[in-house]
Amino acid sequence: MPAYLIVDTKITDPEAYENYKAQAKPLVEKYGGIYKVRGGELEVFEGDLWKPTRLVVIEFPSMEQARTFYHSPDYAPVKALRQGASVCSLALVDGL
């Protein structure tokens, strides 16, 4: 069953974040991930519960594959780039 990594990002250092994006994409793909959304136009229709800034949605083949990517030694230094260039909320959810 597919799983989706949903990331809401507030970029604080655009130049460093571009470096992160360039390094993250091949790693996402290496672990079976496919970008479904990567920061496109955003419109909130309802609610004050969540005020997203920049959304990224990555589909992985399974929850386990997404976890493997996120916790991999390959991603650790790239994740540090993201954390230094942005403030993020991440959620992993099972698909249908």
Side-chain angles (χ1 to χ4, degrees):
M1 177 181 319
Y4 296 88
L5 183 62
I6 302 167
V7 186
D8 184 11
T9 307
K10 179 180 178 184
I11 298 170
T12 57
D13 183 340
E15 186 176 320
Y17 195 80
E18 287 300 316
N19 186 25
Y20 163 75
K21 286 183 357 184
Q23 293 185 49
K25 187 175 188 300
L27 287 176
V28 164
E29 293 169 349
K30 175 181 175 179
Y31 286 88
I34 301 168
Y35 284 93
K36 296 295 188 175
V37 174
R38 198 170 187 195
E41 184 178 340
L42 174 66
E43 183 176 349
V44 176
F45 286 127
E46 291 186 26
D48 292 326
L49 182 62
W50 184 29
K51 297 182 187 325
T53 304
R54 179 183 186 276
L55 291 178
V56 174
V57 178
I58 305 169
E59 180 182 304
F60 284 92
S62 66
M63 295 281 282
E64 187 57 36
Q65 194 67 20
R67 287 183 191 108
T68 299
F69 158 75
Y70 183 79
H71 296 294
S72 73
D74 291 337
Y75 185 56
V78 180
K79 179 175 25 177
L81 287 175
R82 176 181 52 78
Q83 291 170 334
S86 64
V87 177
C88 297
S89 293
L90 286 82
L92 181 59
V93 62
D94 249 338
L96 300 175

